[in-house]
Amino acid sequence: MPIAQKTLSTSKAFTRLSMLIAGAGLAAAAWAAEPAPKDTTAANPLGGKASPAAASKAAPGQPRQITWEELVPKDWDPAKEFNGMDLSALDDGDPRANELLMKMQEVSNNAPTNPAMNGAEIKIPGFIVPLEEAKGEVTEFLLVPYFGACIHTPPPPANQILHVVPQKGAKFRAMDTVWVTGKLQTLRNDSMMGVSGYHVSAATVTKYTGGSK
């Protein structure tokens, strides 16, 4: 393998591992292709972490505002299988580079969901990745926590992707920032844009304007 190709393979491996770690809330959004809006980034999807009390309470009959971190099981460590691995030690033509990338993809696609979130009525901000459109409206999409995910950069782990089907078509475009409210289910879905670990039957999809409103 030429040096340039080797560097590309190991670089991809480093990038994928960084994304897996970030999916567990251990890194910021430095990997986004472009800067995310100040109020919603992978590190601060709610424009700064809400206090535990504020994040856990909701008015009777109202959806609970959640953070992306709550979707990840606290005991999940995507990097543990790769601890101590020195990617720079891979020789030219070493098939382990591609094997490693495949392993990282497998870990990402099978990232565990948080069973405590199943059935919860939630409200969460994120970025739209359209899957289906009709008459100028998005009728099915993925919701992701940072700008560029699934489009400009590889998909985040499955537990950081929501498959959303709104009750009514939403007039938004790719990478628009929105609030999604509805019932959250721990239900896997495979799409050409990424594997999602959650499904939301969205009662509303509204423009994100910052804060919790």
Side-chain angles (χ1 to χ4, degrees):
M1 178 186 296
I3 295 296
Q5 287 183 303
K6 176 196 173 186
T7 301
L8 179 60
S9 294
T10 54
S11 175
K12 285 182 178 179
F14 273 122
T15 299
R16 169 54 72 186
L17 184 55
S18 296
M19 289 184 174
L20 286 172
I21 294 172
L26 303 178
W31 7 289
E34 298 179 34
K38 182 178 179 181
D39 291 315
T40 52
T41 68
N44 299 294
L46 294 177
K49 292 183 179 179
S51 66
S56 63
K57 293 181 179 179
Q62 296 298 312
R64 182 171 71 87
Q65 183 177 311
I66 66 169
T67 67
W68 286 89
E69 291 177 345
E70 292 180 74
L71 301 177
V72 180
K74 293 182 179 180
D75 60 352
W76 183 58
D77 179 8
K80 67 180 180 180
E81 297 184 49
F82 309 103
N83 287 341
M85 188 173 294
D86 183 7
L87 301 182
S88 64
L90 297 178
D91 295 326
D92 289 356
D94 194 327
R96 290 179 297 173
N98 284 332
E99 291 175 2
L100 180 60
L101 286 171
M102 292 178 66
K103 178 62 176 177
M104 290 178 178
Q105 187 64 59
E106 180 183 354
V107 171
S108 181
N109 289 345
N110 291 286
T113 54
N114 182 354
M117 302 301 294
N118 190 43
E121 293 290 338
I122 59 93
K123 177 178 182 179
I124 189 170
F127 296 84
I128 283 182
V129 178
L131 294 179
E132 297 288 343
E133 298 182 50
K135 298 180 180 180
E137 295 182 331
V138 179
T139 56
E140 181 181 355
F141 62 90
L142 301 181
L143 191 73
V144 294
Y146 59 90
F147 187 91
C150 303
I151 296 179
H152 300 303
T153 63
N159 56 24
Q160 292 288 275
I161 302 179
L162 277 60
H163 175 226
V164 181
V165 178
Q167 292 181 1
K168 297 181 179 179
K171 291 185 177 180
F172 292 103
R173 299 176 298 176
M175 288 297 118
D176 277 349
T177 319
V178 298
W179 284 105
V180 168
T181 62
K183 186 176 182 178
L184 183 70
Q185 294 177 286
T186 52
L187 182 64
R188 178 187 171 96
N189 180 72
D190 290 35
S191 76
M192 63 182 297
M193 301 303 290
V195 178
S196 54
Y198 292 93
H199 174 85
V200 179
S201 298
T204 63
V205 179
T206 57
K207 182 179 179 181
Y208 181 87
T209 54
S212 59
K213 296 180 180 180

Coordinates of all heavy atoms in Angstrom, one line a residue, residues 97-152:
A97 N -5.8 -2.5 8.9 CA -6.4 -1.2 8.8 C -7.9 -1.2 8.4 O -8.8 -0.6 9.1 CB -5.6 -0.3 7.9
N98 N -8.2 -2.0 7.3 CA -9.5 -2.1 6.9 C -10.4 -2.9 7.9 O -11.6 -2.7 8.1 CB -9.6 -2.8 5.5 CG -9.2 -1.8 4.4 OD1 -9.4 -0.6 4.5 ND2 -8.7 -2.3 3.3
E99 N -9.8 -3.9 8.5 CA -10.5 -4.7 9.5 C -10.9 -3.9 10.6 O -12.0 -4.0 11.2 CB -9.6 -5.9 9.9 CG -9.3 -7.0 8.8 CD -8.4 -8.0 9.3 OE1 -7.9 -7.9 10.5 OE2 -8.1 -8.9 8.5
L100 N -10.0 -3.0 11.0 CA -10.3 -2.1 12.1 C -11.4 -1.1 11.8 O -12.3 -0.9 12.6 CB -9.0 -1.3 12.5 CG -9.2 -0.3 13.7 CD1 -9.6 -1.0 14.9 CD2 -7.9 0.5 13.9
L101 N -11.4 -0.6 10.6 CA -12.5 0.3 10.2 C -13.9 -0.5 10.2 O -14.9 0.1 10.6 CB -12.3 0.8 8.8 CG -11.2 1.9 8.7 CD1 -10.9 2.2 7.2 CD2 -11.6 3.2 9.3
M102 N -13.8 -1.7 9.7 CA -15.1 -2.5 9.7 C -15.5 -2.8 11.2 O -16.7 -2.8 11.4 CB -14.8 -3.8 9.0 CG -14.6 -3.7 7.5 SD -14.3 -5.2 6.6 CE -15.9 -6.1 6.9
K103 N -14.6 -3.0 12.1 CA -14.9 -3.3 13.5 C -15.5 -2.0 14.1 O -16.5 -2.1 14.8 CB -13.7 -3.7 14.2 CG -13.9 -3.9 15.7 CD -14.9 -5.1 16.0 CE -15.1 -5.3 17.5 NZ -16.1 -6.4 17.7
M104 N -15.0 -0.9 13.8 CA -15.5 0.4 14.3 C -16.9 0.7 13.8 O -17.8 1.1 14.5 CB -14.5 1.5 13.9 CG -13.2 1.5 14.6 SD -12.1 2.8 14.1 CE -10.7 2.5 15.2
Q105 N -17.1 0.3 12.5 CA -18.4 0.5 12.0 C -19.5 -0.4 12.6 O -20.6 0.0 12.9 CB -18.4 0.3 10.5 CG -19.7 0.6 9.7 CD -20.0 2.1 9.8 OE1 -19.2 2.9 9.3 NE2 -21.2 2.4 10.3
E106 N -19.0 -1.6 12.9 CA -19.9 -2.5 13.6 C -20.3 -2.1 15.0 O -21.4 -2.1 15.4 CB -19.2 -3.9 13.7 CG -20.1 -5.0 14.4 CD -19.3 -6.3 14.5 OE1 -18.2 -6.4 14.0 OE2 -19.9 -7.2 15.2
V107 N -19.3 -1.5 15.7 CA -19.5 -1.0 17.1 C -20.5 0.2 17.0 O -21.4 0.3 17.8 CB -18.2 -0.6 17.7 CG1 -18.5 0.2 19.0 CG2 -17.3 -1.8 18.0
S108 N -20.3 1.0 16.0 CA -21.1 2.2 15.9 C -22.6 1.8 15.5 O -23.5 2.3 16.1 CB -20.6 3.1 14.7 OG -21.4 4.3 14.6
N109 N -22.7 0.9 14.6 CA -24.1 0.5 14.2 C -24.8 -0.2 15.2 O -26.1 -0.3 15.2 CB -24.0 -0.4 12.9 CG -23.6 0.4 11.7 OD1 -23.7 1.7 11.7 ND2 -23.2 -0.3 10.6
N110 N -24.1 -0.9 16.2 CA -24.8 -1.7 17.2 C -24.7 -1.0 18.6 O -24.8 -1.6 19.6 CB -24.1 -3.1 17.3 CG -24.5 -3.9 16.1 OD1 -25.6 -4.4 15.9 ND2 -23.5 -4.1 15.2
A111 N -24.4 0.3 18.6 CA -24.3 1.1 19.8 C -25.6 0.9 20.6 O -26.7 1.1 20.1 CB -24.1 2.5 19.6
P112 N -25.6 0.5 21.9 CA -26.8 0.2 22.7 C -27.6 1.4 23.0 O -27.0 2.5 23.2 CB -26.2 -0.5 24.0 CG -24.8 0.2 24.1 CD -24.3 0.3 22.7
T113 N -28.9 1.2 23.1 CA -29.8 2.3 23.5 C -30.0 2.3 25.0 O -29.7 1.3 25.7 CB -31.1 2.2 22.8 OG1 -31.7 0.9 23.0 CG2 -30.9 2.5 21.3
N114 N -30.6 3.3 25.5 CA -30.9 3.4 26.9 C -32.4 2.9 27.1 O -33.3 3.6 26.8 CB -30.8 4.8 27.4 CG -31.1 5.0 28.9 OD1 -31.5 4.1 29.6 ND2 -30.9 6.2 29.4
P115 N -32.6 1.7 27.7 CA -33.9 1.2 27.8 C -34.9 2.1 28.7 O -36.1 2.0 28.5 CB -33.7 -0.2 28.5 CG -32.4 -0.1 29.2 CD -31.6 0.8 28.3
A116 N -34.3 2.9 29.6 CA -35.1 3.8 30.4 C -35.9 4.8 29.6 O -36.8 5.4 30.1 CB -34.3 4.4 31.5
M117 N -35.4 5.1 28.4 CA -36.0 6.1 27.5 C -37.1 5.6 26.7 O -37.9 6.3 26.1 CB -34.9 6.7 26.6 CG -33.7 7.3 27.3 SD -34.2 8.6 28.5 CE -34.9 9.9 27.3
N118 N -37.3 4.3 26.6 CA -38.4 3.7 25.8 C -39.7 4.1 26.3 O -40.1 3.9 27.4 CB -38.2 2.1 25.8 CG -39.1 1.5 24.8 OD1 -39.2 1.9 23.7 ND2 -39.8 0.4 25.2
G119 N -40.5 4.6 25.4 CA -41.9 5.0 25.7 C -42.0 6.4 26.2 O -43.1 6.9 26.5
A120 N -40.9 7.1 26.4 CA -40.9 8.5 27.0 C -41.4 9.5 26.0 O -41.2 9.4 24.8 CB -39.5 8.9 27.5
E121 N -42.2 10.5 26.5 CA -42.6 11.6 25.7 C -41.6 12.7 25.9 O -41.4 13.2 26.9 CB -44.0 12.1 26.2 CG -45.2 11.2 26.0 CD -45.5 11.0 24.5 OE1 -45.2 11.9 23.7 OE2 -46.2 10.0 24.1
I122 N -40.9 13.0 24.8 CA -39.7 13.8 24.9 C -39.7 15.0 23.9 O -40.5 15.1 23.0 CB -38.4 13.0 24.6 CG1 -38.4 12.3 23.2 CG2 -38.3 11.9 25.7 CD1 -37.8 13.1 22.1
K123 N -38.8 15.9 24.2 CA -38.5 17.1 23.3 C -37.0 17.2 23.2 O -36.3 17.2 24.2 CB -39.1 18.3 23.9 CG -38.9 19.6 23.1 CD -39.5 20.8 23.7 CE -39.3 22.1 22.9 NZ -40.0 23.3 23.5
I124 N -36.5 17.3 22.0 CA -35.1 17.3 21.8 C -34.7 18.1 20.5 O -35.5 18.1 19.6 CB -34.5 15.9 21.7 CG1 -33.0 15.9 21.7 CG2 -35.0 15.2 20.5 CD1 -32.4 14.5 21.9
P125 N -33.6 18.9 20.6 CA -33.2 19.6 19.4 C -32.2 18.8 18.6 O -31.5 17.9 19.1 CB -32.6 20.8 20.0 CG -31.9 20.3 21.2 CD -32.8 19.2 21.7
G126 N -32.1 19.1 17.3 CA -31.1 18.4 16.5 C -31.2 18.9 15.0 O -31.9 19.8 14.7
F127 N -30.4 18.2 14.2 CA -30.3 18.6 12.8 C -31.0 17.5 11.9 O -30.9 16.3 12.2 CB -28.8 18.7 12.4 CG -28.1 19.8 13.1 CD1 -27.6 19.6 14.4 CD2 -27.9 21.0 12.6 CE1 -26.9 20.6 15.1 CE2 -27.3 22.1 13.2 CZ -26.7 21.8 14.5
I128 N -31.6 18.0 10.9 CA -32.4 17.1 10.0 C -31.6 16.5 8.9 O -30.8 17.2 8.2 CB -33.6 17.9 9.4 CG1 -34.7 18.0 10.4 CG2 -34.1 17.2 8.1 CD1 -36.0 18.7 9.9
V129 N -31.7 15.2 8.7 CA -31.2 14.5 7.5 C -32.4 13.8 6.8 O -32.9 12.8 7.3 CB -30.2 13.4 8.0 CG1 -29.7 12.6 6.7 CG2 -29.0 14.0 8.8
P130 N -32.9 14.4 5.8 CA -34.1 13.9 5.1 C -33.9 12.5 4.6 O -32.9 12.2 4.0 CB -34.3 14.9 4.0 CG -33.6 16.2 4.4 CD -32.4 15.7 5.1
L131 N -35.0 11.7 4.7 CA -35.1 10.4 4.1 C -36.1 10.3 3.0 O -35.9 9.7 2.0 CB -35.3 9.3 5.2 CG -34.3 9.1 6.2 CD1 -34.7 8.1 7.2 CD2 -32.9 8.7 5.6
E132 N -37.3 10.9 3.3 CA -38.4 10.9 2.4 C -39.0 12.3 2.3 O -39.1 13.0 3.3 CB -39.5 9.9 2.8 CG -39.0 8.4 2.8 CD -38.8 7.9 1.4 OE1 -39.3 8.5 0.4 OE2 -38.1 6.8 1.3
E133 N -39.4 12.7 1.1 CA -40.1 14.0 0.9 C -41.3 13.9 0.0 O -41.3 13.0 -0.9 CB -39.1 15.1 0.4 CG -37.9 15.3 1.3 CD -36.9 16.4 0.7 OE1 -37.4 17.5 0.3 OE2 -35.7 16.1 0.6
A134 N -42.2 14.8 0.2 CA -43.4 14.8 -0.6 C -44.0 16.2 -0.7 O -44.2 16.8 0.4 CB -44.5 13.8 -0.1
K135 N -44.2 16.7 -1.9 CA -44.7 18.0 -2.1 C -44.0 19.1 -1.3 O -44.5 20.0 -0.7 CB -46.2 18.1 -1.7 CG -47.1 17.1 -2.5 CD -48.5 17.2 -2.0 CE -49.4 16.2 -2.9 NZ -50.8 16.3 -2.5
G136 N -42.7 19.0 -1.4 CA -41.8 20.0 -0.7 C -41.7 19.9 0.8 O -41.2 20.8 1.4
E137 N -42.2 18.8 1.4 CA -42.2 18.6 2.8 C -41.4 17.3 3.1 O -41.5 16.4 2.4 CB -43.6 18.6 3.4 CG -44.3 19.9 3.3 CD -45.7 19.9 3.9 OE1 -46.3 18.7 4.0 OE2 -46.2 20.9 4.3
V138 N -40.7 17.4 4.3 CA -40.0 16.2 4.7 C -41.0 15.3 5.5 O -41.6 15.8 6.5 CB -38.8 16.6 5.6 CG1 -38.1 15.3 6.2 CG2 -37.8 17.4 4.9
T139 N -41.2 14.1 5.1 CA -42.1 13.2 5.7 C -41.5 12.1 6.5 O -42.1 11.4 7.3 CB -43.0 12.5 4.6 OG1 -42.2 11.8 3.7 CG2 -43.9 13.5 3.9
E140 N -40.1 12.0 6.4 CA -39.4 11.0 7.2 C -37.9 11.5 7.2 O -37.4 11.9 6.2 CB -39.5 9.6 6.6 CG -38.7 8.6 7.3 CD -38.8 7.2 6.6 OE1 -39.6 7.1 5.6 OE2 -38.2 6.2 7.1
F141 N -37.3 11.5 8.4 CA -35.9 12.0 8.5 C -35.2 11.4 9.7 O -35.8 10.8 10.6 CB -35.9 13.5 8.5 CG -36.6 14.2 9.7 CD1 -35.8 14.4 10.9 CD2 -37.9 14.5 9.7 CE1 -36.5 15.0 12.0 CE2 -38.5 15.1 10.8 CZ -37.8 15.4 11.9
L142 N -33.9 11.6 9.7 CA -33.0 11.3 10.8 C -32.8 12.5 11.5 O -32.6 13.6 10.9 CB -31.7 10.6 10.4 CG -31.8 9.3 9.6 CD1 -30.4 8.8 9.3 CD2 -32.6 8.2 10.3
L143 N -32.7 12.5 12.9 CA -32.3 13.6 13.7 C -31.0 13.3 14.3 O -30.8 12.2 14.9 CB -33.4 13.9 14.8 CG -33.2 15.2 15.5 CD1 -33.6 16.4 14.7 CD2 -34.0 15.2 16.9
V144 N -30.0 14.2 14.1 CA -28.7 14.0 14.6 C -28.2 15.1 15.4 O -28.7 16.3 15.3 CB -27.7 13.8 13.4 CG1 -28.0 12.5 12.6 CG2 -27.7 15.0 12.4
P145 N -27.2 14.9 16.3 CA -26.8 16.0 17.3 C -25.9 17.0 16.8 O -25.6 18.0 17.5 CB -26.2 15.1 18.4 CG -25.6 14.0 17.7 CD -26.5 13.7 16.6
Y146 N -25.3 16.9 15.6 CA -24.3 17.9 15.2 C -24.4 18.1 13.7 O -24.8 17.2 13.0 CB -22.9 17.5 15.6 CG -22.4 16.2 15.1 CD1 -21.7 16.1 13.9 CD2 -22.6 15.0 15.8 CE1 -21.3 14.9 13.4 CE2 -22.1 13.8 15.3 CZ -21.5 13.8 14.1 OH -21.0 12.6 13.6
F147 N -23.9 19.3 13.3 CA -24.0 19.7 11.9 C -23.1 18.8 11.0 O -22.0 18.5 11.3 CB -23.6 21.1 11.7 CG -23.8 21.7 10.3 CD1 -25.0 22.3 10.0 CD2 -22.8 21.5 9.4 CE1 -25.2 22.8 8.7 CE2 -23.0 22.0 8.1 CZ -24.2 22.7 7.8
G148 N -23.7 18.3 9.9 CA -22.9 17.5 8.9 C -23.0 16.0 9.1 O -22.6 15.3 8.2
A149 N -23.5 15.5 10.2 CA -23.6 14.1 10.4 C -24.4 13.4 9.3 O -25.4 13.9 8.9 CB -24.2 13.8 11.8
C150 N -23.9 12.3 8.9 CA -24.5 11.5 7.9 C -24.5 12.0 6.4 O -24.8 11.4 5.5 CB -26.0 11.2 8.2 SG -26.3 10.4 9.8
I151 N -24.1 13.3 6.3 CA -24.0 13.9 5.0 C -22.6 14.3 4.7 O -22.0 13.9 3.7 CB -24.9 15.2 5.0 CG1 -26.4 14.8 5.1 CG2 -24.7 15.9 3.6 CD1 -27.4 15.9 5.1
H152 N -22.0 15.2 5.5 CA -20.6 15.6 5.3 C -19.6 14.7 6.1 O -18.4 14.7 5.8 CB -20.4 17.1 5.8 CG -21.3 18.0 5.0 ND1 -21.3 18.2 3.7 CD2 -22.2 18.9 5.5 CE1 -22.1 19.1 3.3 NE2 -22.7 19.5 4.4

